[in-house]
């Protein structure tokens, strides 16, 4: 339903944050299973070197939602 794009970033942590928040709002994600699918998507589409950052950003976004 969406698409991935290659992006160069000076602040990837902020970009992941903004992207996740946008996806949650646009898709009206509210349930933990939807959030888990979102996380899996980010991990699948991004290289291993970003996984720790993605998980950290995801955790903070999740905590902000509850």
């Amino acid at each position: 339903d969406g698409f991935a794009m290659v992006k160069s970033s000076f602040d990837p942590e902020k970009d992941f944050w903004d992207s996740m928040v946008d996806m949650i709002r646009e898709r009206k994600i509210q349930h933990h299973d939807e959030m888990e699918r979102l996380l899996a998507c980010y991990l699948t589409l991004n290289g291993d070197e970003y996984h720790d950052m993605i998980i950290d950003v995801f955790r903070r976004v999740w905590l902000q939602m509850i």
Side-chain angles (χ1 to χ4, degrees):
D1 295 46
F3 60 93
M5 74 171 106
V6 176
K7 182 174 182 177
S8 179
S9 174
F10 292 108
D11 190 353
E13 188 170 344
K14 181 183 180 318
D15 290 338
F16 283 127
W17 175 278
D18 292 345
S19 176
M20 285 182 194
V21 170
D22 287 346
M23 291 291 289
I24 291 165
R25 286 182 180 151
E26 288 175 13
R27 297 179 183 272
K28 297 176 176 64
I29 294 174
Q30 298 178 0
H31 301 287
H32 67 80
D33 58 327
E34 297 169 311
M35 289 291 289
E36 289 172 1
R37 282 196 296 272
L38 180 66
L39 174 60
C41 180
Y42 275 89
L43 294 173
T44 299
L45 294 173
N46 291 279
D48 292 346
E49 66 271 20
Y50 293 106
H51 285 188
D52 288 341
M53 181 186 305
I54 290 168
I55 292 168
D56 180 59
V57 170
F58 178 83
R59 181 188 56 79
R60 289 186 284 131
V61 168
W62 182 301
L63 290 173
Q64 180 178 325
M65 289 180 59
I66 58 175

